[in-house]
Amino acid sequence: MKPRRRNKASGAALLVALAMVLSLISVNPARAGEPDAAPCPGYREMYHQFVDGLVGNRLGFAVQHRGAFSTDVPGNSLGAFRRSFALCQPAIETDVRTTRDGQLVLFHDTNTGLALEQGFDPDTGQGPNPALSSVDYADLVTKKLLTKDRRPTEFEVPTLTQLLSTADVTQAATLMHLDVKEPDQAIRIARVIDDYETSHPDSHMTQRVALKIPINEFPRPSDWKSSLDRAGVKRTIMVIPMMNPGTAASLDTSGHAGLSIESLSAWAAAPAAEAPTVEVLVKDSSDVHEKHQESSPFGTYEAPHSRDPDNAENGTMAAMAFIVSSYGKPLGNFVPIPDRMLWENKTYSGYTVPNVGGDRRPFNVTDAFYNADGRCCYNLADKLSPSPYGQEKSDLRENIAWQSAMGVRIFTVDDSDSVHTYLSDQGVLDKKSVTNPQRQIEASRSWLYWQLLGMPIPNEQMVSLKAWRGGSSAIWQGQVCIFNWRDHPAWATSCLYNKQSGYSWEMEISVVDDHYMRIKNQLDQQCLMSKPDDLSYVYWTDDCNSPRSRWTRLPGDQYMDADGHFLTFSWQDRYSWGVPWAYLWLTDKQDNPWSHWSFDV
């Protein structure tokens, strides 16, 4: 059988795509073209604004999580931090961890595979992925940090001292929030900061760095001060105390019921020069008593009638958040943005990813976060954990309007630009700290960006589906793609074939019911489907809503039909114009290398 030639194009799809592109261009002027950018303030001005300028008002700002990373500059690199400094970001946040030989480094994950190992596959969890704590620093810096699409860059894992030196040399105004990820390292990190200022007295480094520390490690400000004194640190080292259900439980089970509230209150009452802000992990309004529904660009939410601590269930995270506000202290919280698609310059929507936690079902990439060990993926629902400290019926932290209603004024987030845009629109942006606000760009793939524009989160993308996970074969004349053929069985051949025939490999992938994928060819608007009790062929059909047109994507880029069979093909001794081609069919063998497919724009 020889495939028929087709020349008809899908003009409607092209017009829709063009309209979307034009709409994005119209609302996203290039940053370089924005006029009259204000200069960065000095770091002394930034320090005083952080310590004194947020008292008695509703103003706030965003802390740029992992620095100003992009498609080419990896997060937690000196390149990302330098970009934050140059863009006058008010603050950055980065994690501090230790290598096996005790070097303090800035690294987000517990394992190195996602950030450093090209041979590591986050979808399958296969490949080199050693724990950071098992690697010596000298070995760590033999690897280059990777971009989101797994390309090596010029950057290495930076040390804490390198960050301090870079901020000093560039006279950066940006404050640095260091998230202390390992117990018993806070004092050591404080000594590094103190020692740096001793050797570089003009740096005033102790006014430019704050340590984020779980409250249970130092239940009262006096505990922190006495620990610094014992370590010989005489300067004040700023602390951002952090409270979450785990730290609260640790305090309350230490033999002193109610210690979590006492500790939080003590830190909230501490002078701002010691604790400029307090962070409380609150996820929703389920523990707030009196509340009402509000709407925002980020969706509807329940806002508290008041932030009086009595307006929340005693001892919950919501009550603790209101306690912080009652002291006039700026409340901090994290804003989770799905990071699987952040700054992804290839495929960023329309497909599902593995779930290595929760119910283990694949789910939409637009909801996906990498796990701490670098494996893909989890969603926010997987992390809900009801306890006496919060019912956690949902996670609303992506809703900036809800966070603001709960009293949050310091937002730690990957997309600081969108948070600043929203705060500015609401008249509550601290413009003395954010002197040069930017609008986020579409290439960031940030949820917040799309929501602020009133656009739906993308759920489809044009791709080609390629055999052998994008591998190639000289016999098949290069890479092999799936092609359209109206009302006929699906087939695969060289991806170059359509240049001769008029057939197309252009497919639209989309997510259906959160857990399944649909594959539609754009020339005929037909979908790939299987038929019960028929393993010989896979067909193109108009019935795109059929359960048989839903495919489950598995780790390793395999596609399973409704009956548990895997999409595959094999050599069938067929040629068209001298090019090998083959029908697609279904197999029960999951380890068949011919059943692994990748997609690419």
Side-chain angles (χ1 to χ4, degrees), residues 162 278 528 530:
Q162 287 172 340
V278 176
L528 198 66
S530 66

Side-chain angles (χ1 to χ4, degrees), residues 164 175-176 178 193 205-211 237-238:
L164 302 181
L175 302 176
M176 292 164 281
L178 305 179
I193 297 166
M205 195 56 66
T206 53
Q207 294 184 352
R208 301 163 72 177
V209 180
L211 273 57
I237 306 294
M238 290 188 291

Side-chain angles (χ1 to χ4, degrees), residues 50 57 118 155-156 199 276 301 313 329 409 416 465 485 503 533 540 569 588 590:
F50 188 36
N57 57 50
Q118 281 187 288
F155 303 105
E156 300 170 352
S199 58
Y301 61 94
E313 190 69 25
K329 186 85 69 174
R409 293 198 276 150
S416 56
L465 276 89
W485 190 4
Y503 287 100
D533 303 319
W540 291 111
F569 76 115
D588 292 323
Q590 186 171 359

